[in-house]
């Protein structure tokens, strides 16, 4: 069993606090993706778990064992780095088997384990080659093979696919998912790629400046972002966020968006937020060019002036002015519009998100 637990973990380099109050409970076999801007502490969290850095405060456990003081090689954790870190002078076979050799395994046993991993990763015909004679994707698979043969309790991946082109990334993503389905090893995976995060993760952890902003399934964090930061970080193009006014008329919440008053259905609970300015969020895919495309509620008109159009093949990203704010609408490619057009778009209130201006936190109750 290899559940992984971080309890109030902190890490400082000198006076710089890189990780703060970091607590997570990862179940045995879960696939966790860490997402966040560059420098927010993702690699540091993996390195703390692998034992390559020491915690400044808090407790890390693997299974029921506290590993704070344990040397890296005693932690039963294997890490795949972005740079692959292969030994250039060794063959693929020796690169994959190197960890086993260090652990004192017999040559015949090493060769058998390397063979098994190589077949699984479709590397069996390359075992005699050196890393420089391999493509990027093949090198990446060697790095994965090296982690796999050790049969660790926990896998750590630090942006393993970021050096590959889009097509190969997608193949490798499918392969990583299949391997996880087969072996169900607890995995922590760092990526900048939203598609990787959404397709691989049981849960994503969104980090900012070393602190957790939200933890949840990909679906949950997309549909119910806990705050403005998560709302703009998850989803591409990012969620539109515009200023609006909240008031109450005979007890009913009313949002004034531009010149339009939108009475909110009672199913939307803003936790009795007082009247005043708030931020309203709406995803580019929840604004439609036809009223009939609004399927989840009553279509409300949204007149906008188009400022730019980006044709992407399957869709068009339309940029439009909304008062002092800007909105992006993702529309089907057939919709033909151009800069300067005045267009009435449609949306419905059930797809709106609401955030506090000061804290940035969601005003909807079910977001945590
Ligand atoms: N050994 C170190 N000494 C001082 N500061 C460090 C050290 N290692 C990391 N940092 C700092 O800690 C912060 C977090 O670094 P980390 O490598 O974990 O970020 P990251 O989220 O993995 O970023 P990226 O997406 O760019 O890889 C950064 O501000 C970095 O400069
Ligand atoms: Mg990193």
């Amino acid at each position: 069993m290899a559940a992984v637990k971080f309890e109030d973990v902190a890490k400082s380099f000198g006076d710089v606090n890189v990780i703060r109050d970091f607590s997570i409970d990862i179940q045995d076999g879960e696939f966790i993706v860490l997402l966040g801007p560059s420098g927010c502490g993702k690699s540091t969290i993996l390195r703390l778990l692998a034992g390559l850095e020491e915690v400044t405060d808090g407790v890390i456990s693997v299974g029921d064992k506290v590993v704070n003081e344990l040397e890296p090689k005693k932690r039963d954790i294997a890490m795949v780095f972005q740079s692959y870190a292969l030994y250039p002078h060794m063959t693929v076979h020796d690169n994959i088997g190197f960890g086993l050799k260090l652990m004192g395994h017999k040559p015949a046993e090493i060769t058998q384990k390397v063979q098994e991993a190589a077949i699984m990763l479709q590397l069996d015909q390359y075992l005699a080659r050196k890393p420089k004679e391999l493509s990027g994707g093949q090198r990446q698979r060697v790095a994965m093979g090296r982690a796999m043969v050790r049969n660790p309790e926990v896998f750590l991946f630090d942006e393993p696919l970021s050096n590959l082109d889009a097509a190969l990334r997608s193949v490798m993503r499918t392969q990583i998912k299949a391997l996880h389905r087969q072996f169900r090893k607890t995995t922590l995976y760092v990526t900048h790629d939203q598609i990787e995060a959404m397709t691989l993760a049981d849960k994503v952890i969104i980090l900012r400046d070393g602190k957790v902003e939200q933890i949840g399934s990909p679906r949950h964090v997309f549909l119910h972002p806990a705050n403005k930061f998560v709302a703009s970080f998850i989803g591409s193009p990012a969620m539109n966020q515009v200023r609006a006014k909240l008031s109450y008329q005979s007890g009913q919440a009313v949002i004034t968006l531009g010149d339009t008053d939108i009475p909110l259905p009672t199913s939307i609970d803003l936790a009795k937020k007082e009247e005043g300015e708030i931020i309203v969020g709406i995803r580019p895919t929840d604004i439609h060019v036809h009223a009939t495309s609004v399927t989840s509620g009553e279509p409300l008109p949204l007149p906008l002036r188009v400022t730019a159009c980006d044709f992407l093949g399957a869709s068009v990203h339309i940029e439009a002015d909304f008062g002092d704010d800007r909105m992006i609408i993702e529309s089907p490619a057939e919709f033909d519009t151009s800069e300067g057009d005045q267009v009435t778009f449609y949306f419905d209130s059930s797809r709106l998100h609401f955030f506090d201006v000061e804290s940035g936190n969601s005003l909807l109750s079910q977001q945590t």
Side-chain angles (χ1 to χ4, degrees):
M1 285 292 285
V4 170
K5 202 168 178 175
F6 282 69
E7 289 168 272
D8 301 321
V9 168
K11 174 67 183 171
S12 312
F13 292 107
D15 335 332
V16 186
N17 298 328
V18 172
I19 304 293
R20 292 173 289 160
D21 302 328
F22 185 75
S23 296
I24 46 165
D25 236 326
I26 302 171
Q27 310 297 312
D28 180 39
E30 254 187 328
F31 199 117
I32 302 293
V33 170
L34 287 166
L35 265 176
S38 186
C40 71
K42 305 179 294 295
S43 298
T44 304
I45 286 169
L46 296 195
R47 293 172 61 79
L48 288 168
L49 180 55
L52 304 174
E53 299 285 354
E54 255 179 67
V55 299
T56 308
D57 207 354
V59 177
I60 302 179
S61 350
V62 177
D64 45 18
K65 201 159 58 184
V66 172
V67 297
N68 284 31
E69 305 292 330
L70 217 56
E71 288 175 65
K73 67 174 184 223
K74 297 212 172 121
R75 293 196 184 190
D76 209 3
I77 288 172
M79 183 153 168
V80 178
F81 299 89
Q82 178 182 353
S83 61
Y84 315 149
L86 302 179
Y87 298 106
H89 59 286
M90 285 188 199
T91 62
V92 168
H93 176 284
D94 291 353
N95 263 289
I96 295 179
F98 189 65
L100 297 177
K101 193 171 162 188
L102 284 188
M103 286 153 77
H105 289 251
K106 296 203 178 70
E109 199 186 331
I110 295 175
T111 296
Q112 192 202 336
K113 287 194 163 94
V114 170
Q115 281 285 355
E116 280 169 15
I119 289 168
M120 218 175 312
L121 294 166
Q122 291 152 26
L123 284 171
D124 36 328
Q125 71 260 48
Y126 306 115
L127 285 171
R129 292 199 194 173
K130 302 268 174 67
K132 68 170 190 304
E133 298 159 338
L134 300 176
S135 73
Q138 290 159 349
R139 280 178 217 177
Q140 203 280 338
R141 279 180 278 160
V142 176
M144 269 175 60
R146 189 173 49 185
M148 274 166 58
V149 288
R150 290 178 46 200
N151 191 25
E153 287 287 0
V154 180
F155 274 111
L156 307 180
F157 291 94
D158 198 351
E159 304 194 45
L161 308 184
S162 57
N163 292 338
L164 308 180
D165 67 33
L168 196 51
R169 249 199 335 255
S170 150
V171 171
M172 289 305 299
R173 195 173 70 222
T174 312
Q175 205 160 31
I176 289 174
K177 193 165 180 148
L179 284 171
H180 181 255
R181 209 175 283 139
Q182 191 176 353
F183 296 107
R184 289 278 157 211
K185 294 284 181 177
T186 310
T187 303
L188 261 85
Y189 188 105
V190 169
T191 181
H192 276 106
D193 184 317
Q194 296 238 348
I195 298 176
E196 264 171 52
M198 299 309 248
T199 54
L200 290 172
D202 293 315
K203 276 188 201 143
V204 292
I205 300 179
I206 296 120
L207 279 177
R208 174 164 62 159
D209 295 339
K211 285 198 76 160
V212 173
E213 292 283 322
Q214 192 171 8
I215 302 182
S217 68
R219 178 181 292 271
H220 186 81
V221 295
F222 182 81
L223 293 176
H224 307 292
N227 54 47
K228 267 164 58 81
F229 178 78
V230 175
S232 50
F233 200 79
I234 300 287
S236 177
M239 183 189 285
N240 296 297
Q241 297 182 6
V242 298
R243 273 154 291 184
K245 214 179 90 223
L246 169 67
S247 57
Y248 291 92
Q249 290 169 20
S250 324
Q252 184 180 31
V254 176
I255 297 288
T256 308
L257 198 59
D259 301 328
T260 313
D261 279 348
I262 308 165
L264 295 185
T266 48
S267 55
I268 298 178
D269 176 11
L270 296 186
K272 305 209 164 42
K273 167 79 182 160
E274 67 276 16
E275 296 191 328
E277 198 177 43
I278 63 165
I279 305 283
V280 165
I282 184 159
R283 294 213 179 267
T285 41
D286 287 330
I287 305 174
H288 303 279
V289 291
H290 304 294
T292 49
S293 307
V294 176
T295 51
S296 47
E298 187 200 340
L300 298 165
L302 182 68
L304 297 174
R305 200 179 65 80
V306 173
T307 53
C309 270
D310 286 326
F311 179 72
L312 297 172
S315 63
V316 182
H317 290 173
I318 301 166
E319 219 177 284
D321 276 342
F322 180 78
D324 292 339
D325 293 307
R326 199 184 63 131
M327 286 217 190
I328 304 276
I329 298 100
E330 186 171 320
S331 86
E334 309 78 80
F335 185 66
D336 197 9
T337 183
S338 48
E339 191 184 331
D341 287 354
Q342 188 71 37
V343 179
T344 300
F345 294 92
Y346 297 90
F347 69 101
D348 85 272
S349 57
S350 73
R351 294 304 176 99
L352 296 178
H353 298 257
F354 307 92
F355 303 101
D356 188 271
V357 174
E358 250 119 67
S359 68
N361 289 336
S362 173
L363 299 170
L364 295 169
S365 43
Q366 81 279 23
Q367 316 304 95
T368 45

